[in-house]
Amino acid sequence: MLLTLSFLCVISFAAGLVDAAVGGGGLIQIPALFSALPNLAPATVFGTNKLAAAMGTLSAARSYLKRVRVPWRLVLPAAAAAFFMSIAGAATVSLIDKAVLRPMVLALLVVMAVYTLWKKDFGSLHKPVAIGRREMAIGMAIGGAIGFYDGLFGPGTGSFLMFLFIRFFAFDFLHASASAKVVNLTTNCAALLFFIPAGHVLFQYALPMAACNMAGAMVGSWVAMKKGTGFVRVLFLLLTSTLILKLGWDIFHG
C-alpha cells in the first residue's frame, strides 16, 4: 500500500500543478488511479479523484484570489448555477450514453483550439466588459451548462470555462483561469455530495492525495501568476490538444 500511495501522491502533485494553471488535472490523476488500483469500481475511482481534486482546486482558488481580482458579481451567480446543474448532470448520468457525447465534445475542443490559435490576441489583454444583467444572465447560462456537463461527463471542464470567460467577457487567460477555479470548485463539491454518502471515496488514499494536490496547486498557481497570460495561453493550447488526442483515441479505438 505504501508504494501505491507514494506513486499516487506524486501523480496528485503533478495533477494539482497542471490543473491550477489551466485545468485538466483529471487527465493525469484518473488514469493513475485506474492503474494503481485496478480492482476498484469506476465510481470509487472518480469519487476518490474528486475529493483530491476539490482540495487542489480550493488551494488554487485561494492563491489566485490573493493576487487576481475576480468579478464576483459575475462569478458567484455562475458558480451557483454550476453547483445545482452539476447535481442535475450527475443525476442523469445513467440516462445518456457517453459514447454520444464524445464526438460532440471532441468537435468543440477542436473549435476552441483553432479559434485560440487563429486569434493571436485572444486572452492576451484583460479588458473585461461591464457586468450588467445581460452579462450576469450569460454567466449563469455558462455556469449552468458547464456544471451540467461536469456532472454528466467532465473532461475539459476547466478549459471550456476559461474559453467562455475570455470569449464572452474579454478576460485574459490569467483572470479566466482564476474565475474558472471558483466555478469548478462548486462543481467538485456538488459531485462529492453524491460520492461521499454513497461510500465511493477511499479516504486512506484520497486524503494524502488531497494534500499533495493542494501543494501542487499552490506551485501551479504561483507559476501561472509569475509567468503571466502568455504562459497560461500556451499551457491552455497544450492541454486542449491533449484532450483532443485522448478523446479522439477513445472514439476511434474504444
Side-chain angles (χ1 to χ4, degrees):
M1 176 180 170
L2 184 60
L3 186 61
T4 299
L5 183 58
S6 300
F7 166 73
L8 288 174
C9 283
V10 171
I11 292 296
S12 193
F13 178 88
L17 193 154
V18 171
D19 196 74
V22 288
L27 279 175
I28 301 170
Q29 202 160 256
I30 290 175
L33 278 163
F34 272 115
S35 175
L37 304 169
N39 296 321
L40 282 188
T44 306
V45 168
F46 292 129
T48 302
N49 169 71
K50 275 295 183 187
L51 181 58
M55 297 307 293
T57 304
L58 175 62
S59 176
R62 183 172 174 271
S63 297
Y64 277 119
L65 293 178
K66 288 181 178 179
R67 296 181 60 182
V68 176
R69 188 174 180 180
V70 171
W72 292 110
R73 193 179 178 199
L74 172 71
V75 172
L76 286 180
F83 179 86
F84 290 109
M85 290 303 292
S86 181
I87 294 174
T92 58
V93 70
S94 62
L95 304 177
I96 299 175
D97 186 357
K98 291 184 179 180
V100 176
L101 287 175
R102 285 193 178 100
M104 292 189 293
V105 175
L106 178 61
L108 287 172
L109 286 167
V110 170
V111 169
M112 279 190 348
V114 171
Y115 187 88
T116 304
L117 282 168
W118 176 57
K119 288 186 70 71
K120 301 298 183 183
D121 61 342
F122 184 73
S124 61
L125 299 175
H126 186 61
K127 293 183 177 180
V129 298
I131 307 302
R133 290 183 180 179
R134 177 177 176 273
E135 287 71 28
M136 289 173 65
I138 293 172
M140 290 181 69
I142 289 171
I146 300 301
F148 185 83
Y149 169 75
D150 193 34
L152 182 66
F153 190 47
T157 296
S159 299
F160 284 129
L161 282 169
M162 286 178 65
F163 180 86
L164 292 170
F165 276 129
I166 296 169
R167 175 64 183 82
F168 285 98
F169 307 115
F171 289 4
D172 63 13
F173 271 100
L174 195 59
H175 285 78
S177 182
S179 300
K181 288 291 161 289
V182 176
V183 177
N184 211 175
L185 177 61
T186 65
T187 63
N188 285 340
C189 291
L192 289 173
L193 290 178
F194 275 86
F195 288 126
I196 292 176
H200 288 309
V201 176
L202 289 182
F203 288 98
Q204 66 269 35
Y205 289 104
L207 292 178
M209 288 176 67
C212 293
N213 201 287
M214 289 177 72
M218 290 174 65
V219 174
S221 54
W222 179 83
V223 169
M225 288 183 285
K226 187 78 173 176
K227 297 289 186 179
T229 291
F231 177 77
V232 177
R233 181 180 188 272
V234 171
L235 284 183
F236 174 82
L237 286 168
L238 286 173
L239 178 74
T240 304
S241 300
T242 303
L243 276 166
I244 289 169
L245 291 173
K246 182 184 183 302
L247 281 173
W249 178 268
D250 290 344
I251 291 168
F252 296 110
H253 295 84

